[in-house]
Amino acid sequence: EFMSDTAEVDAEYVVDFVLASVTKPVILENIFYDFDKATLRPESEEALDRELITILNDNPNISIELASHTDFRGRDAYNQDLSQRRAQSVVDYLVQQGIAPDRVKAVGYGESVPKLITKKLASQYPQFKEGDVLSEEDQEVAHQINRRTEFQVLSITYGLY
């Protein structure tokens, strides 16, 4: 949102802003699951309605990968399966809301892709510094950061050809 001053004179304004990268994953905030479950909680559905469904409807030519990640606790195979079921539950919800099934792909990564600490996360959590990769030895907050659902654009030409 841009607001100028109230002076009634000719003026030139320059606004620089950074566009989000299409090649980097975007974390979906407020996507929650109960412990050891893959079912979306009602507040997660509300967040998906506000965020991701709006993005997909506003950009009908994109297709996305919907990825879910777990923390390091539990067996690798179990975490892989749990994350796949969680990603699929988001995809199923999107399809129920009218998103074409071939636009969304569910992928569970389990604990295999730990979160890289960004500048924003480093400012929120001073115990980490930008560029850190969260590991199994990190504390509870790291487990929370690693438990995430995100999406990444796979194609910007869906339905064009």
Side-chain angles (χ1 to χ4, degrees), residues 17-153:
F17 58 93
V18 178
L19 296 176
S21 173
V22 190
T23 60
K24 290 185 179 179
V26 176
I27 294 179
L28 293 167
E29 302 292 339
N30 302 313
I31 305 300
F32 303 110
Y33 310 91
D34 290 328
F35 176 72
D36 200 29
K37 301 243 189 288
T39 308
L40 283 171
R41 292 173 34 185
E43 59 268 34
S44 301
E45 293 176 356
E46 293 170 15
L48 287 169
D49 290 343
R50 278 191 319 273
E51 297 173 33
L52 191 53
I53 290 175
T54 300
I55 290 169
L56 290 168
N57 286 334
D58 289 347
N59 299 278
N61 298 110
I62 65 170
S63 60
I64 63 169
E65 173 185 284
L66 206 299
S68 187
H69 303 266
T70 65
D71 59 33
F72 290 99
R73 293 180 275 197
R75 294 184 343 271
D76 292 356
Y78 181 81
N79 284 340
Q80 179 69 35
D81 177 65
L82 178 61
S83 65
Q84 181 64 42
R85 290 185 292 124
R86 287 178 170 176
Q88 189 61 51
S89 71
V90 175
V91 166
D92 292 345
Y93 180 78
L94 296 174
V95 170
Q96 289 171 359
Q97 301 309 307
I99 303 301
D102 57 344
R103 288 183 67 196
V104 287
K105 174 184 174 186
V107 180
Y109 287 98
E111 59 193 65
S112 68
V113 184
K115 181 71 178 151
L116 178 71
I117 295 296
T118 61
K119 185 176 186 175
K120 180 180 177 183
L121 283 172
S123 70
Q124 292 174 294
Y125 303 101
Q127 67 268 43
F128 303 116
K129 55 185 195 310
E130 185 178 358
D132 283 353
V133 175
L134 298 177
S135 69
E136 199 165 355
E137 293 78 38
D138 292 322
Q139 60 268 26
E140 178 60 32
V141 69
H143 291 304
Q144 291 173 11
I145 293 169
N146 272 327
R147 290 189 302 261
R148 66 196 187 278
T149 299
E150 56 194 14
F151 76 92
Q152 183 167 347
V153 174

